[in-house]
Amino acid sequence: MKKIKENIYEIEITDVQSLFKERDIDSHKGMFGTVGIMGGSLEYSGAVKLANMSASAVRSGAGIVRVIVPENIASAILPYLLEQTLYPLKCDNKGHIYFNMNDLERALKNLKSLAIGMGWGISEEYKKILDIIIKKFNGKLLIDADGLNTLAHMDLNILKETNSQIILTPHLKEFQRLSKIDIEKIKQNSIEIATNFAKEYNVILLLKGSTTIVTDGKKIYLIKKGVPGMATAGSGDVLSGILAGMLGYQEANVLTIASGALLAVTAGELAQEKFTDISMKASDTIKYIPEAIKYIRNFNK
């Protein structure tokens, strides 16, 4: 790792190679975790987005991926799913899931990790759902997109009451809503503000930007890579899928989250070489995850 200053490091490919080592010949799907992807609504049906996320979770190594969606968009999601399983939940006419403890428990059963909030929309029911998941879920919980926007309207001290290992993945605007700090102030002192937030609420924070910051309040890893082709709808969803997939079988720590971000960027760089910065789309990043893993494994060998 390239040391920037005390406890701040720029992550490099050689630092993450061990997380992408070849698997044993007698490996089976149960060894790599069941991962949940929970999101979608009628307004943001996101068939392709959610399929992208579940595909990226598979590509990043999860054993089984369960896509948890409102029942009225299940038919839109289903054609995009092959290796994944689909778990529809009862919802209102806007495609917002109803809070039902029994249904929720069944949807989350045996999950090692859960990514929640992508394309969710905003609903009062989601405060109840997120509240109970934070308090009761025992796995690795990644909150993104409208999950973060829902959390921003709740008492953040709930993050201190959790049984989960929580990962938050905001961009600057989402982090402003969470932290109640002006974006310009965040830009001026992003590392310190991100680190203090992660420490206060006992989370791993991945703050997206031209330099991505990953911190648990103690260690700070920076990813100073990225390409303009990834500045397109769905790229954040793909990253969340990659992270959720890796969390199915890796520890929830700063290195794992930083390595997932580095994998996404490396795949994006390879995709841009093929499709150009103008024509590239988020699903192209998924196509290049296998090549990115090869690149990481073979780097400097």
Side-chain angles (χ1 to χ4, degrees), residues 187-256:
K187 287 180 180 179
Q188 292 167 12
N189 203 3
S190 56
I191 292 176
E192 183 178 348
I193 291 171
T195 303
N196 289 342
F197 184 94
K199 184 176 182 180
E200 180 176 359
Y201 294 107
N202 193 31
V203 299
I204 296 174
L205 180 72
L206 184 153
L207 181 59
K208 301 167 187 171
S210 55
T211 294
T212 294
I213 301 167
V214 183
T215 178
D216 61 357
K218 299 174 184 176
K219 296 178 181 176
I220 303 108
Y221 290 167
L222 308 180
I223 297 96
K224 294 187 175 183
K225 297 183 69 173
V227 290
M230 295 182 77
T232 186
S235 289
D237 297 331
V238 171
L239 172 60
S240 291
I242 288 172
L243 294 174
M246 292 184 66
L247 289 168
Y249 62 96
Q250 299 281 8
E251 293 182 12
N253 58 35
V254 182
L255 182 61
T256 295

Side-chain angles (χ1 to χ4, degrees), residues 145-156:
D146 281 331
L148 294 170
N149 294 331
T150 299
L151 182 62
H153 290 92
M154 299 166 63
D155 182 351
L156 294 189

Side-chain angles (χ1 to χ4, degrees), residues 8 26 31 51 63 66 88 110 119 123 128 159 166 175 266 291:
I8 304 176
D26 60 350
M31 297 171 63
R66 182 183 304 155
N110 296 327
S123 165
K128 300 176 189 176
L159 297 171
I166 293 182
F175 189 50
T266 303
E291 292 301 316

